[in-house]
Amino acid sequence: MNVSIRNKITGKTVFATFPCEEKNIQYLCDQLQLPNTANTEIEVYQVSNSEIANGVLQGKTFKVDELNYLFARLDSFNEFEMNTFYAVAYAKKLESAKDFINLTFNTNCYSVLGSFDNLNQVGKELSMNEQGGMDMDEYNSFDGQKYVEEMIANHPNPLLSPYGFVYPNRNEPQDLYFGKTFPQYLNGFKVFNVALQTDTSEEYLDLPCEESEIQKAMERLEVASLDDTFITILYHNLPDKIEDILHEIECDLHPLNEIANALHQVGEREYDYLEKLSVMTKINTVQELDTLCHCMHKFEVFPNIHTPEAYGQYMICDSGRYEYDENLEEYIDFKAYGENRIANEVGTFTKQGYMTYMGYNQEMAEILNRNLNMNIQNQTYGETLKLYMPLKVITYEEENDWGQYETSDYEEELDSCELCGYEDELESFIKSYGDHIPEERGLMEYYDTKDSVNAKVESFKFEFEQMDGDVYGVAVCELKAPLDATEMATLKEYITGQASDGFCEGLEQQEFSLCGRNVNISFWDSNRYFLRTAEEMGFREQVQGKGFDMMMQ
């Protein structure tokens, strides 16, 4: 829901979309010059995309977290529930955040009669709302018209709302929110849903969460330290092996939140693969699991492969990497081929199969050395690689005779040098759009091939950079090892795909304010696209790496 909220003291107003993540709440508080606490209050100035919501909520005071919780609840409602909520809120002239939140748990206690056409169908729907559902036989035989007629007869003075007449039904409303701790609300969760409890109350958190969320939960519980609380994990979807590893920290919120963050970066769809790797690498501690979460994309697993010959045969015949003619099988030395591959890669045989590691993480290397006796040498290389590309800047606004910009029917391309001087705004612009991209790996998170490029390129992200009086798009890549020519070509191909059809395709739909008019910025221009290093561009670029500091001219 698009909402303008206001600082009640200063009158400053900002636009926001609710529900939102904690980091967005922090941003809103910063913009309103308010502290981000459990008791921070704001006023709903306007709800933009719903006239009925605006009529009900405009001018009301909420704690920021209350407003976010309310819209999280409403976000899960279907149209029938939403209409009932706003009809009842309007009819009962609700004022307090407590009443609004409690109503979201009690919409089944009211029937809203908004149409007298087909009373049988209307009555069926109202009865289903009251009962929480019906089986098909009951639904087909139920007399909806009789239900409506009895409801009207039993309640001759209904309340009025824009959605129709509001009648109480046989369900009794129950208050679950009393102005402090929020009722548990599960509409999906990240990794863990936990209860933070005292002897008298409890607060619920979805992990991973921001530190400010923990602090605000403590404020609502009225405790000064987490030592005054105890923690219970209520829900998770982790495999058994991972759950067993976490037993050592299940009652310690901060370590639990840290590993939740690592698991969230992995993603639920990869949990089974993570469990398989944890078994093969003999992971037993939370610290080892955290390291594995950050390195799992650097492994390749070959289940049930236990000999060099079986490995060689799989790679040639079944991996899809080679064109294979089964008539030549008797002439192929699978064992020799398998042994040659094993000699030129970092891998080992386990009870579950063969596994290779193509990473450069020192902690992971130590784990493999310790748990599997794999002899992996220390790696200390590190370098930032920047690849530059031209920007395309277009606008659909033109200046009129009064010096104002108005919408045009034609596209106008601007010179990217006009972006000079907007470095801070451009940085905020791309960071805001890229909030959903995992911080650790950036867009390498979506590079699905388990190859040397995946292993050597730790992360990459898009940025803007001003050089020689112009502004360029830049793919900033953090390397763990040098790239050969083939790997560089593969990386450039992936970056080009993200610039043309991936991340940047969505970015170019966002508007950026330049000199008073809105423009769209694209990292892709099919007519003059290139992707070059600073050296190829002729820039004098500082390259920073571990163990060296050099200049490229």
Side-chain angles (χ1 to χ4, degrees):
M1 191 73 72
N2 297 324
V3 185
S4 294
I5 58 176
R6 180 163 61 181
N7 182 323
K8 297 175 63 178
I9 298 174
T10 66
K12 182 176 176 60
T13 302
V14 297
F15 176 82
T17 300
F18 288 97
C20 61
E21 297 289 330
E22 176 66 15
K23 59 186 175 182
N24 301 108
I25 296 234
Q26 182 64 59
Y27 174 80
L28 293 173
C29 289
D30 291 343
Q31 292 297 301
L32 291 171
Q33 298 178 318
L34 292 170
N36 183 13
T37 72
N39 294 312
T40 296
E41 290 187 339
I42 49 86
E43 178 185 312
V44 175
Y45 181 69
Q46 185 178 33
V47 182
S48 302
N49 51 347
S50 172
E51 184 177 347
I52 183 65
N54 188 57
V56 167
L57 298 174
Q58 188 176 42
K60 304 298 190 297
T61 296
F62 290 83
K63 296 170 185 174
V64 179
D65 286 345
E66 287 177 329
L67 188 63
N68 201 41
Y69 184 89
L70 173 64
F71 279 115
R73 290 280 303 156
L74 294 177
D75 198 46
S76 68
F77 279 18
N78 59 34
E79 183 179 1
F80 184 91
E81 293 169 321
M82 191 74 78
N83 290 347
T84 302
F85 172 84
Y86 283 120
V88 176
Y90 182 95
K92 294 176 73 69
K93 297 180 172 56
L94 299 188
E95 290 289 334
S96 73
K98 179 175 71 71
D99 289 340
F100 281 111
I101 289 174
N102 280 319
L103 178 56
T104 66
F105 293 96
N106 291 294
T107 55
N108 65 323
C109 300
Y110 302 93
S111 298
V112 179
L113 182 59
S115 171
F116 289 87
D117 295 331
N118 196 351
L119 288 182
N120 184 47
Q121 181 66 31
V122 171
K124 289 175 186 284
E125 293 176 357
L126 294 178
S127 181
M128 283 181 58
N129 178 58
E130 179 181 349
Q131 299 181 56
M134 294 182 184
D135 62 41
M136 187 56 68
D137 290 340
E138 182 182 5
Y139 180 84
N140 291 332
S141 62
F142 186 79
D143 189 340
Q145 181 166 334
K146 181 179 178 182
Y147 175 91
V148 173
E149 291 171 349
E150 289 179 350
M151 179 181 71
I152 295 173
N154 293 333
H155 302 283
N157 298 305
L159 299 175
L160 298 179
S161 81
Y163 283 111
F165 299 102
V166 177
Y167 296 88
N169 59 36
R170 287 168 291 189
N171 295 326
E172 287 295 325
Q174 295 183 337
D175 286 351
L176 300 179
Y177 178 60
F178 300 95
K180 285 193 175 180
T181 59
F182 291 110
Q184 185 179 23
Y185 171 55
L186 278 177
N187 185 28
F189 54 92
K190 298 172 185 175
V191 177
F192 303 110
N193 181 262
V194 303
L196 190 63
Q197 300 163 300
T198 66
D199 292 335
T200 57
S201 58
E202 58 187 3
E203 179 82 357
Y204 302 93
L205 291 170
D206 282 335
L207 304 185
C209 68
E210 301 292 334
E211 179 63 27
S212 56
E213 293 178 87
I214 297 174
Q215 292 300 318
K216 289 190 286 186
M218 292 168 57
E219 289 176 35
R220 286 189 281 269
L221 290 170
E222 299 181 332
V223 296
S225 168
L226 287 175
D227 294 337
D228 300 323
T229 68
F230 54 96
I231 299 154
T232 303
I233 298 176
L234 301 177
Y235 299 98
H236 69 77
N237 290 329
L238 297 172
D240 292 341
K241 167 67 175 176
I242 306 302
E243 182 182 8
D244 291 341
I245 294 173
L246 296 178
H247 279 319
E248 64 180 275
I249 60 163
E250 62 184 357
C251 295
D252 197 339
L253 183 59
H254 282 109
L256 194 62
N257 195 40
E258 289 177 9
I259 194 63
N261 187 59
L263 290 166
H264 187 55
Q265 296 292 329
V266 167
E268 187 174 344
R269 63 187 176 89
E270 296 289 347
Y271 282 173
D272 289 341
Y273 181 60
L274 178 65
E275 180 181 40
K276 184 184 298 183
L277 277 177
S278 69
V279 172
M280 296 183 77
T281 55
K282 298 183 179 180
I283 296 295
N284 290 304
T285 69
V286 173
Q287 183 57 54
E288 289 181 340
L289 177 62
D290 182 75
T291 301
L292 181 61
C293 286
H294 291 85
C295 298
M296 60 180 291
H297 57 279
K298 316 255 184 193
F299 287 89
E300 190 165 9
V301 172
F302 305 89
N304 303 316
I305 300 294
H306 298 286
T307 66
E309 182 176 4
Y311 180 46
Q313 185 170 13
Y314 169 81
M315 293 302 298
I316 292 174
C317 303
D318 302 320
S319 70
R321 304 185 188 189
Y322 304 100
E323 292 186 6
Y324 167 67
D325 186 344
E326 62 183 15
N327 294 319
L328 299 176
E329 183 170 339
E330 61 181 293
Y331 302 101
I332 301 175
D333 190 341
F334 294 118
K335 182 179 179 182
Y337 177 72
E339 290 174 341
N340 182 66
R341 286 190 64 92
I342 291 169
N344 290 282
E345 62 193 12
V346 178
T348 189
F349 289 102
T350 71
K351 290 182 180 180
Q352 294 76 31
Y354 184 64
M355 175 185 67
T356 63
Y357 175 64
M358 297 175 288
Y360 297 88
N361 182 286
Q362 187 57 38
E363 292 181 5
M364 192 72 247
E366 291 173 0
I367 292 170
L368 296 174
N369 289 341
R370 181 173 60 248
N371 293 358
L372 301 175
N373 296 317
M374 295 175 68
N375 185 20
I376 304 175
Q377 297 181 352
N378 291 347
Q379 298 284 344
T380 58
Y381 184 92
E383 180 183 335
T384 299
L385 168 70
K386 291 184 177 181
L387 296 170
Y388 294 81
M389 66 206 77
L391 296 173
K392 183 176 183 179
V393 184
I394 62 172
T395 183
Y396 290 93
E397 294 183 355
E398 62 182 359
E399 189 174 3
N400 61 26
D401 295 338
W402 295 274
Q404 298 174 329
Y405 289 108
E406 58 186 15
T407 302
S408 169
D409 294 331
Y410 304 98
E411 171 186 301
E412 178 186 354
E413 184 169 353
L414 308 178
D415 197 309
S416 56
C417 68
E418 294 191 39
L419 296 173
C420 290
Y422 285 81
E423 288 80 8
D424 292 342
E425 293 86 347
L426 288 169
E427 181 181 2
S428 298
F429 173 65
I430 199 166
K431 280 186 176 180
S432 176
Y433 176 72
D435 274 349
H436 62 288
I437 304 298
E439 290 185 15
E440 184 175 358
R441 297 214 75 204
L443 291 165
M444 284 304 293
E445 182 74 21
Y446 310 111
Y447 184 89
D448 294 330
T449 306
K450 293 182 175 65
D451 60 7
S452 59
V453 173
N454 203 333
K456 292 182 178 181
V457 183
E458 184 69 12
S459 68
F460 115 71
K461 60 182 178 180
F462 285 107
E463 292 182 355
F464 297 98
E465 188 168 318
Q466 180 177 335
M467 299 289 284
D468 292 352
D470 204 347
V471 176
Y472 294 88
V474 190
V476 181
C477 308
E478 300 298 332
L479 305 184
K480 287 290 187 180
L483 301 176
D484 62 29
T486 301
E487 291 165 339
M488 178 65 83
T490 301
L491 176 61
K492 285 186 173 183
E493 182 180 359
Y494 177 62
I495 292 172
T496 298
Q498 288 290 346
S500 60
D501 298 316
F503 173 82
C504 295
E505 183 180 25
L507 179 69
E508 69 184 35
Q509 308 303 317
Q510 312 303 308
E511 291 185 335
F512 178 78
S513 181
L514 175 66
C515 300
R517 62 175 166 176
N518 294 320
V519 301
N520 301 92
I521 305 173
S522 175
F523 281 65
W524 174 254
D525 186 342
S526 59
N527 294 323
R528 57 189 185 94
Y529 181 79
F530 58 76
L531 192 59
R532 300 172 185 164
T533 64
E535 185 177 19
E536 292 168 335
M537 293 291 291
F539 296 150
R540 188 172 177 80
E541 171 69 11
Q542 181 82 25
V543 177
Q544 297 177 339
K546 295 179 182 177
F548 66 89
D549 187 8
M550 58 184 256
M551 300 294 293
M552 292 193 309
Q553 177 68 49

